[in-house]
Amino acid sequence: MVVGAGAAGLLAGIFAARGGARTLVLETRKSPGAKIRVSGGARCNVLPSRMEWADFHTRGSMNTVRNLLQSWPLEDVRAFFEVELGIPLKVEDTGKVFPVSDDPREVVVGLLTALERSGAALVGNARVAGLRRVGEPGSERFEIDLDDGRAIAAQCVCIATGGLSLPKTGSDGRGFDFARDLGHAVTPLHPALVPLLAEDGRWGELAGLSLVTRLNVLRDGKKVDSQAGDFLFTHKGFSGPVALDVSWNFAAPSGERARMEAAWLGDGAPEWEALLSRGGRLTVSAILREHLPRRLALALIARSGLDPETSLASLSREGRKRLLRELCQCELLVAGNEGYRTAEVTDGGVPLSELRTATLESRLVPGLYFAGEIVDVCGRIGGFNFLWAWISGHKVGSAVVSARSAQ
Ligand SMILES: Cc1cc2nc3c(=O)[nH]c(=O)nc-3n(C[C@H](O)[C@H](O)[C@H](O)COP(=O)(O)OP(=O)(O)OC[C@H]3O[C@@H](n4cnc5c(N)ncnc54)[C@H](O)[C@@H]3O)c2cc1C
């Protein structure tokens, strides 16, 4: 029995049923895969083209994450989509992998077709409300209560209910309650890959403006994260892939607050110091506007306390220093984040230490498995979260089959 027909649950169902396990997948929503449909800007960034361990985040052991990720190599996951599901994929300049069609429905349909062919049964409009382990030692089983009063029994259960992010897609966090009810811990949960709220409301005046930026995150004076990519000003703060990527530094209320600094235009920025030192009649506004969007150029000049019409010849050393700071180390104070309503993933979950690395089976409750976002593993932006969902779902599906054949 698989609870949840998202990315992880569909893979668990496909691989369990292919191996001969009688498999039922229960899903709250009428049509499964809601999150896949909205993912990647409604194009579905199905995978990354490259992967490093540092692309993943857990409060548990990174060695365990590495072992799990190695168990189904990235090339094999890609071949599953391209060869087995017949979905042509393309790699974009960012290193992200998308369907050539840019249509997330192709991924959902491919997975549902594979699930049907595997022999698994899928039931929509079936929200699991309770999950219990019952029976005498040796003949234990799970009893599953559905919202509508139906009850189902199962030998083993995979909880693949996702996290708390974007609850309208069906992931309302109920899975964490099932884990707790069955004796598991759940590490602290926070929205991650989430737009950030600015402390200074004036940044909202730049809403809609986007540009490549490098964001450096500092804690206690030390750089703890640095990412470059597309950055977007919103009415409330900061978004775009690069802001989402550093957002987990601002998820948990921590003793020492993190600070964020922007280097506008990132690694492609001009030699600002040389440009501003060359003298002449050109104004600071004119020189900045050659490289930066007008509204941002003017905001940075204002923040450095300069008159935009100041010529480079009359720019004081002190003024140049202040402007350089705004261009290369612009302080963006973060007041919080937009929360689960817009977060792409949930940071935290069922601890890896309570799961067997070889199978993702619970160390506490035999026959209970976890896959996907409900586990305390999340990835950077760029296809890493789906990669985790595919690999962990595949792991559980294959493990259930091995467990049956060992009996
Ligand atoms: C807007 C957005 C864009 C994203 N884009 C990308 C991207 O491009 N690339 C990427 O790698 N990641 C992306 N992600 C993250 C990615 O979607 C998730 O990491 C991934 O979907 C997690 O898979 P999952 O199967 O664990 O959970 P989910 O996909 O959330 O699936 C869980 C399923 O379980 C069902 N369920 C929950 N509770 C119950 C219950 N009690 N009974 C029955 N069913 C239940 C839900 O209805 C849901 O269908 C994005 C996320 C969001 C929100």
Side-chain angles (χ1 to χ4, degrees), residues 45-75:
N45 173 198
V46 69
L47 286 173
S49 56
R50 289 177 302 278
M51 177 192 79
E52 289 176 28
W53 315 126
D55 295 318
F56 294 86
H57 180 72
T58 177
R59 284 184 182 73
S61 152
M62 273 313 287
N63 271 342
T64 305
V65 174
R66 184 179 314 160
N67 287 336
L68 285 161
L69 292 169
Q70 275 170 340
S71 70
W72 201 25
L74 180 55
E75 314 82 78

Side-chain angles (χ1 to χ4, degrees), residues 106-176:
E106 199 182 355
V107 177
V108 178
V109 170
L111 290 168
L112 291 179
T113 307
L115 187 75
E116 197 183 340
R117 286 193 186 139
S118 72
L122 170 67
V123 183
N125 284 328
R127 182 169 184 271
V128 172
L131 184 58
R132 290 179 305 282
R133 180 103 169 128
V134 297
E136 300 301 316
S139 63
E140 291 148 303
R141 64 190 186 282
F142 293 91
E143 274 181 6
I144 295 119
D145 299 322
L146 300 187
D147 246 2
D148 59 10
R150 282 178 288 172
I152 301 168
Q155 286 303 311
C156 54
V157 169
C158 169
I159 303 185
T161 45
L164 285 155
S165 52
L166 206 67
K168 66 177 183 189
T169 57
S171 51
D172 59 5
R174 189 74 183 90
F176 295 118

Side-chain angles (χ1 to χ4, degrees), residues 4 6-8 27-28 35 39-40 45 126 128 160-162 170 344 372-373 383 385-386:
E27 166 58 41
T28 295
K35 213 169 265 178
S39 66
N45 173 198
V128 172
T161 45
E344 292 205 355
E373 200 176 315
N385 286 295
F386 275 141

Side-chain angles (χ1 to χ4, degrees), residues 282-299:
L282 211 59
T283 62
V284 285
S285 154
I287 195 93
L288 258 64
R289 279 161 47 196
E290 272 180 25
H291 302 276
L292 290 171
R294 184 177 160 276
R295 283 190 295 154
L296 177 61
L298 293 176

Side-chain angles (χ1 to χ4, degrees), residues 6 11 27 38 40 88 115 174 199 232-233 277 284 307 309 311 318 331 346 363:
L11 268 273
E27 166 58 41
V38 298
L115 187 75
R174 189 74 183 90
E199 216 169 273
L232 171 72
F233 287 98
S277 306
V284 285
D307 178 341
E309 295 312 309
S311 71
E318 201 38 52
E331 186 160 62
T346 304
R363 291 182 190 275

Side-chain angles (χ1 to χ4, degrees), residues 96-307:
K96 296 176 181 177
V97 178
F98 290 87
V100 169
S101 63
D102 281 332
D103 187 351
R105 285 171 304 181
E106 199 182 355
V107 177
V108 178
V109 170
L111 290 168
L112 291 179
T113 307
L115 187 75
E116 197 183 340
R117 286 193 186 139
S118 72
L122 170 67
V123 183
N125 284 328
R127 182 169 184 271
V128 172
L131 184 58
R132 290 179 305 282
R133 180 103 169 128
V134 297
E136 300 301 316
S139 63
E140 291 148 303
R141 64 190 186 282
F142 293 91
E143 274 181 6
I144 295 119
D145 299 322
L146 300 187
D147 246 2
D148 59 10
R150 282 178 288 172
I152 301 168
Q155 286 303 311
C156 54
V157 169
C158 169
I159 303 185
T161 45
L164 285 155
S165 52
L166 206 67
K168 66 177 183 189
T169 57
S171 51
D172 59 5
R174 189 74 183 90
F176 295 118
D177 298 334
F178 301 150
R180 288 190 194 97
D181 292 348
L182 288 161
H184 277 279
V186 173
T187 64
L189 304 172
H190 302 290
L193 302 189
V194 59
L196 297 169
L197 302 174
E199 216 169 273
D200 183 346
R202 282 173 298 180
W203 288 118
E205 291 163 19
L206 302 182
L209 198 154
S210 82
L211 74 166
V212 169
T213 299
R214 175 167 286 283
L215 293 178
N216 293 314
V217 180
L218 299 110
R219 185 172 281 127
D220 220 0
K222 279 202 204 94
K223 200 194 280 185
V224 292
D225 200 358
S226 178
Q227 305 291 343
D230 289 326
F231 177 94
L232 171 72
F233 287 98
T234 66
H235 288 288
K236 294 181 195 157
F238 318 118
S239 187
V242 67
L244 300 197
D245 236 351
V246 300
S247 63
W248 57 33
N249 295 289
F250 304 93
S254 68
E256 183 57 43
R257 281 186 57 194
R259 289 196 314 113
M260 183 161 82
E261 289 180 351
W264 306 112
L265 300 175
D267 305 340
E271 288 292 331
W272 288 117
E273 182 150 19
L275 282 182
L276 294 176
S277 306
R278 71 185 193 197
R281 286 165 50 189
L282 211 59
T283 62
V284 285
S285 154
I287 195 93
L288 258 64
R289 279 161 47 196
E290 272 180 25
H291 302 276
L292 290 171
R294 184 177 160 276
R295 283 190 295 154
L296 177 61
L298 293 176
L300 298 180
I301 294 168
R303 279 170 58 92
S304 55
L306 291 169
D307 178 341

